[in-house]
Amino acid sequence: MAPLNRTILDARRDQAFPRLADHELQRLLRFGETRRYADGEALATVGDDGAGFSVILAGQVRVSEPDTEGGREEIVVHGPGEFQGELAQLSGQPSLVDAHAVGDTEVLRIAPERLRTLMIAEAELGERIMRALILRRMALIDSGGAGPVIVGREGHRDVLRLESFLGRNGQPFHRLDPDHDPQARALIERFHVDEAALPIVLCPAGALLQNPTEDKLARCIGLVRPIDADHVYDVAVIGAGPAGLAAAVYAGSEGLSTLVLDCRAFGGQAGASSRIENYLGFPTGISGMALMGRAYNQAQKFGVEMAIPDEAAHLASDGDGGFRLRLAADETARARSVVIASGARYRRLDLPELEAFEGASVHYWASAAEAKLCAGQEVALVGGGNSAGQAVVYLAGRAKKVWVLVRAADLRKDMSQYLVDRIRGLDNVEVVTQSEVVGLEGADGVMERIRWRHRRTGEETTRDIRHLFLFIGAAPNTDWLAECGVALDGKGFVLTGEAAGEDRGPLETNRRGVFAIGDVRSGSIKRVAASVGEGAQVVAALHGYLAGAREQREGGAHGQ
């Protein structure tokens, strides 16, 4: 198992492992309680629920991660004034590392909810602690040592599916290939696994899953937990893309109890962007995953409850003036108001053979995992928007050649000029205009060739290409609203404002207390910045609605 990434920790050691001064420790005392541990006693154990954040007052704490051979890889030894924990301690998720006392040790133990209070009450200290927690998680992700172990072959569609799911949710993991790793063979033999059942996943707490769904894997590693069906949130946000996360951050920061649901991962389509260069405040650009990861952590800092992956399947009134959400995982959630930010789903090519190659050869985003698969190869990309342009630039730095297929006569029709100019300067990118893919060929789920046709001349071209990237726009993710009484336009986008009713606010749907923001909203501007703006704007509308609903409830109670 790879050692913890020393590049991150060595380059930013003072930030990753700060030592607090005595007066700073005194300020933290009110947030926790002191506990003593004997030599060798565990403060944290991999897979166990995070008991909290530990500030070392006396003694030492050794932090390590287990390897697949039963040994341990030491990460760091904390001394007085330092603290043990990473992002799992902020949300109360299971620990990703082991922590043991070295000698008689005294710590200040701060529970997750009190840690979030500390972040807000002690802003300067909270900033230093949050930065350290994030850097430590980044190091764990890069090391490939902590988290679940995936046993499966590189490039297998289900291996890619699981890797993508964990990666997009900011979870560290490790993959072992049975063709190359003796450890993988040992795990297969130890658990008597038929190779036809691969991939398998060994969860940190010891459970073994055979080719699990994302939901089963998330619940096994403690990423998502059961929702209390009797608890009533102020607001439930459906979707954790830019709009949904913005709404969550602003609602949480203003004291609204907030639940966020998403069927796959935080970040939405923006989270899959290799680099966003036209977002305000980032002149050198930022990856979609980095931007959305910051928003996700920020929401958790303000006490927002995340249920990802957990998919909303139906919306109905609860009989008490609020709403009841039926979830795909046979759960229900209740809220006084609802914000629909379910975004859009990727459009697919209308080809009968497409499904056979999805996952292994046909991709809907261009992350490091996909780039590694196609390194040194020719690839094809379909699409002419900004997301497509960002993916082209990213893939060009890794692939031998990138064929860009667009239906329009010119890239400038739908793509920002800065991306058009950059693509023109790439020697290994060839843009093919007025063309569309008409056939995919291959066997056993692996694509071998692509055929495309010029729309005007009818001329067909066949290339030996094993990876196809599709960025052909998106359709609104509103199928789940079909029987919920929420009005949609002719294309399936949610109607808001005057289009939903004469007395409706700009982001309000035809149902009182239900709002829609971001790409899912009819007439919205399909840009990250616009979605974030609507996420902030809707919180003011939520306050107005909740205040009115509260007055009605209290008035009704007084009338009785």
Side-chain angles (χ1 to χ4, degrees):
M1 188 169 286
L4 196 69
N5 187 305
R6 299 298 171 189
T7 303
I8 291 176
L9 298 187
D10 287 346
R12 303 179 68 177
R13 174 163 290 275
D14 289 344
Q15 293 180 319
F17 300 117
R19 186 182 297 274
L20 305 180
D22 289 343
H23 70 277
E24 292 173 319
L25 294 176
Q26 290 298 316
R27 284 158 53 188
L28 296 185
L29 290 176
R30 64 190 175 100
F31 296 99
E33 56 184 29
T34 57
R35 289 190 57 181
R36 293 185 177 276
Y37 293 86
D39 181 42
E41 190 174 353
L43 283 75
T45 303
V46 169
D48 286 353
D49 284 348
F53 173 84
S54 297
V55 182
I56 292 81
L57 302 176
Q60 293 182 316
V61 174
R62 177 180 288 110
V63 180
S64 62
E65 56 186 6
D67 60 32
T68 53
E69 298 176 335
R72 293 182 183 279
E73 176 75 28
E74 183 178 294
I75 297 173
V76 67
V77 176
H78 294 301
E82 298 179 332
F83 51 83
Q84 179 267 318
E86 54 91 45
L87 285 176
Q89 277 62 54
L90 181 63
S91 58
Q93 291 177 357
S95 179
L96 294 170
V97 298
D98 293 321
H100 292 86
V102 179
D104 292 334
T105 299
E106 183 180 19
V107 305
L108 175 68
R109 200 63 177 258
I110 303 176
E113 62 274 13
R114 295 294 292 162
L115 176 58
R116 295 191 291 268
T117 301
L118 181 160
M119 295 277 189
I120 297 168
E122 295 283 350
E124 184 179 347
L125 267 175
E127 179 183 347
R128 292 173 62 194
I129 292 170
M130 176 64 87
R131 183 182 294 113
L133 302 185
I134 291 173
L135 288 172
R136 294 176 189 183
R137 173 59 65 91
M138 289 170 58
L140 288 173
I141 290 173
D142 286 348
S143 75
V149 178
I150 301 173
V151 179
R153 291 176 174 82
E154 183 177 17
H156 187 283
R157 63 191 301 172
D158 285 313
V159 171
L160 289 172
R161 172 178 61 84
L162 296 171
E163 288 182 334
S164 174
F165 168 72
L166 292 169
R168 293 191 66 183
N169 279 288
Q171 297 295 307
F173 65 90
H174 184 54
R175 180 177 60 79
L176 298 174
D177 191 325
D179 291 337
H180 305 104
D181 294 308
Q183 296 168 346
R185 303 299 317 171
L187 286 172
I188 290 172
E189 293 171 5
R190 183 199 308 174
F191 292 103
H192 307 290
V193 176
D194 185 339
E195 290 206 24
L198 295 178
I200 58 172
V201 180
L202 183 62
C203 296
L208 181 74
L209 305 177
Q210 293 191 0
N211 196 12
T213 63
E214 286 90 338
D215 180 72
K216 284 186 177 180
L217 176 55
R219 292 178 187 275
C220 186
I221 64 176
L223 182 59
V224 62
R225 302 186 181 198
I227 293 174
D228 183 354
D230 295 324
H231 180 75
V232 182
Y233 297 89
D234 288 323
V235 57
V237 180
I238 317 302
L245 287 178
V249 168
Y250 286 101
S253 68
E254 295 186 18
L256 298 180
S257 62
T258 306
L259 171 69
V260 175
L261 301 161
D262 196 286
C263 64
R264 179 171 174 78
F266 67 80
Q269 293 189 61
S273 296
S274 57
R275 181 158 294 273
I276 301 172
E277 295 190 69
N278 58 353
Y279 190 76
L280 183 68
F282 293 91
T284 60
I286 185 171
S287 73
M289 182 64 187
L291 182 63
M292 294 297 97
R294 294 179 184 188
Y296 176 78
N297 294 331
Q298 192 175 15
Q300 288 190 310
K301 167 185 170 180
F302 290 121
V304 173
E305 185 174 336
M306 299 288 182
I308 305 174
D310 217 339
E311 184 175 8
H314 189 264
L315 171 66
S317 298
D318 68 358
D320 294 325
F323 302 92
R324 185 179 298 276
L325 286 157
R326 188 178 78 243
L327 309 181
D330 290 329
E331 291 182 308
T332 59
R334 297 180 61 196
R336 296 184 178 89
S337 62
V338 174
V339 175
I340 300 171
S342 49
R345 59 181 182 274
Y346 299 103
R347 284 202 176 102
R348 304 166 72 244
L349 289 177
D350 186 17
L351 296 173
E353 61 271 29
L354 182 72
E355 186 176 358
F357 302 122
E358 286 180 314
S361 295
V362 176
H363 314 284
Y364 294 90
W365 51 81
S367 70
E370 289 77 32
K372 182 179 178 182
L373 285 176
C374 62
Q377 303 179 36
E378 286 193 12
V379 302
L381 183 146
V382 181
N386 276 3
S387 294
Q390 291 159 356
V392 169
V393 173
Y394 177 70
L395 291 170
R398 292 144 181 86
K400 178 181 178 182
K401 183 169 185 176
V402 181
W403 295 87
V404 183
L405 309 175
V406 294
R407 294 166 63 92
D410 195 307
L411 274 183
R412 290 176 297 181
K413 179 178 182 297
D414 297 306
M415 192 179 294
S416 294
Q417 189 63 46
Y418 80 93
L419 284 169
V420 175
D421 293 341
R422 186 165 298 168
I423 289 171
R424 284 175 176 169
L426 296 171
D427 294 335
N428 63 336
V429 174
E430 184 164 341
V431 179
V432 183
T433 59
Q434 296 182 291
S435 297
E436 57 189 1
V437 176
V438 293
L440 308 176
E441 301 173 17
D444 299 324
V446 178
M447 191 173 65
E448 298 171 354
R449 285 172 295 280
I450 297 177
R451 287 197 331 275
W452 63 78
R453 179 188 300 137
H454 194 279
R455 301 180 69 203
R456 182 172 55 81
T457 66
E459 179 183 359
E460 289 195 3
T461 301
T462 301
R463 298 288 302 184
D464 292 337
I465 290 176
R466 298 185 61 179
H467 293 281
L468 172 64
F469 293 82
L470 299 181
F471 289 82
I472 54 177
N477 189 14
T478 53
D479 290 349
W480 66 283
L481 291 171
E483 299 178 359
C484 299
V486 175
L488 309 177
D489 68 11
K491 295 182 179 180
F493 292 91
V494 180
L495 292 171
T496 57
E498 292 184 359
E502 292 184 359
D503 58 346
R504 294 297 187 262
L507 301 176
E508 191 174 18
T509 72
N510 63 302
R511 293 193 64 175
R512 288 289 189 194
V514 179
F515 303 82
I517 57 175
D519 288 0
V520 76
R521 189 178 69 82
S522 179
S524 66
I525 299 172
K526 306 300 188 279
R527 287 287 186 271
V528 173
S531 294
V532 170
E534 290 187 7
Q537 182 184 352
V538 77
V539 175
L542 286 170
H543 278 301
Y545 170 76
L546 291 171
R550 188 181 307 111
E551 289 177 2
Q552 285 188 346
R553 289 196 305 272
E554 293 173 353
H558 294 155
Q560 295 174 3

